[in-house]
Amino acid sequence: MKILIIEDNISVRNVLRIGLEAEGYIIDDVSDGDRGSYFARINKYNLIILDNVLPKKMGNQVCREIRNAGVTTPVLLLSAKSDVNSKIELLETGADDYMIKPFSFEELKSRIKALCRRPEAIKNKVVKVGNLEINSESCEIRKNNKRIYLTRKEFSLLNLLIENIGQVVSRGMIMELVWESNINPFSNTIEAHIRNIRTKIGDPQKKIIQNIPGRGYKINNFFRKK
């Protein structure tokens, strides 16, 4: 999963980038509001972490600008202001959540996890990956118009990979977002579910769901959403 960090304080930015990369996230980071707005509008991210006080363009301006441009990516806004009126004002610019500086990294991880579970405001209910058709609303999968039956966890895992097509999804991210960390990290539960999914969707040669040794799994860019 990919996160954009817009933060001018180099120490804070480095701590966030290093910590989140260690959690398996892919990170882009910029130091001013102009570049942050540009990156947010031209790239696809799962989350944007946005400081409010920035050079060139304030965070609330960036948030309003990207929302006006149609960007629906969740935004976590950071600010030192703790009064209720400031929170309301900043959230009304289009931010999805708000954190007061200073904050703990553990709290940040929890907020990120919660935001990444929220559905996008505008989202296709049906996507096609190769000859598979996935309906995220009805939780149905069809291959060549024939229904494929997956368990709830299998569907959640496959849907997570599809939402991040072309990107590596780490075992840690799968454990958090599919199992909510309620599995033994040393078990082969994820591998067993991947194996079952491959069998059911007819992917014995691992052409659709690809293993990335030491990193996780991904669906190849060749099988793009249509």
Side-chain angles (χ1 to χ4, degrees), residues 32-43:
D32 65 73
D34 274 347
R35 293 187 70 218
S37 176
Y38 176 72
F39 270 60
R41 285 181 283 114
I42 68 166
N43 297 310

Side-chain angles (χ1 to χ4, degrees), residues 86-125:
S86 294
K87 290 181 182 179
I88 293 172
E89 180 183 343
L90 292 172
L91 289 171
E92 285 181 346
T93 65
D96 296 87
D97 202 357
Y98 179 101
M99 285 189 71
I100 300 169
K101 290 182 172 181
F103 51 83
S104 73
F105 190 71
E106 291 303 314
E107 181 185 1
L108 176 68
K109 289 197 299 181
S110 295
R111 297 289 187 96
I112 291 173
K113 179 180 174 181
L115 285 169
C116 288
R117 282 202 302 263
R118 295 181 188 177
E120 295 178 4
I122 300 173
K123 186 175 183 179
N124 290 332
K125 294 177 181 177

Side-chain angles (χ1 to χ4, degrees), residues 31-193:
S31 59
D32 65 73
D34 274 347
R35 293 187 70 218
S37 176
Y38 176 72
F39 270 60
R41 285 181 283 114
I42 68 166
N43 297 310
K44 173 70 175 176
Y45 296 101
N46 299 98
L47 179 71
I48 298 169
I49 298 176
L50 173 64
D51 186 32
N52 187 44
V53 180
L54 294 166
K56 298 185 179 180
K57 190 173 290 180
M58 293 288 284
N60 58 352
Q61 293 175 281
V62 172
C63 195
R64 189 176 289 110
E65 187 170 276
I66 66 174
R67 292 302 188 226
N68 289 339
V71 176
T72 60
T73 305
V75 173
L76 175 57
L77 207 148
L78 310 178
S79 176
K81 295 182 178 180
S82 59
D83 61 285
V84 174
N85 288 336
S86 294
K87 290 181 182 179
I88 293 172
E89 180 183 343
L90 292 172
L91 289 171
E92 285 181 346
T93 65
D96 296 87
D97 202 357
Y98 179 101
M99 285 189 71
I100 300 169
K101 290 182 172 181
F103 51 83
S104 73
F105 190 71
E106 291 303 314
E107 181 185 1
L108 176 68
K109 289 197 299 181
S110 295
R111 297 289 187 96
I112 291 173
K113 179 180 174 181
L115 285 169
C116 288
R117 282 202 302 263
R118 295 181 188 177
E120 295 178 4
I122 300 173
K123 186 175 183 179
N124 290 332
K125 294 177 181 177
V126 179
V127 296
K128 291 184 178 180
V129 180
N131 58 0
L132 296 175
E133 186 176 280
I134 298 93
N135 188 316
S136 60
E137 185 176 58
S138 64
C139 297
E140 289 186 359
I141 297 180
R142 293 183 178 274
K143 181 178 181 180
N144 299 325
N145 292 323
K146 292 184 179 180
R147 176 81 180 271
I148 296 173
Y149 293 91
L150 299 184
T151 67
R152 182 179 298 180
K153 290 297 185 188
E154 288 168 353
F155 182 87
S156 296
L157 175 50
L158 179 60
N159 199 48
L160 177 63
L161 295 174
I162 289 169
E163 288 177 350
N164 294 277
I165 195 164
Q167 300 180 30
V168 178
V169 180
S170 69
R171 293 184 85 259
M173 292 302 302
I174 293 171
M175 283 190 287
E176 284 194 10
L177 297 177
V178 178
W179 275 271
E180 298 185 352
S181 300
N182 292 323
I183 62 170
N184 185 335
F186 301 104
S187 74
N188 68 343
T189 300
I190 294 174
E191 288 76 10
H193 279 72

Side-chain angles (χ1 to χ4, degrees), residues 8-26:
D8 64 317
N9 186 305
I10 188 169
S11 297
V12 174
R13 193 168 70 249
N14 285 342
V15 167
L16 292 177
R17 177 175 52 78
I18 293 169
L20 292 175
E21 284 179 341
E23 295 293 321
Y25 296 98
I26 299 168

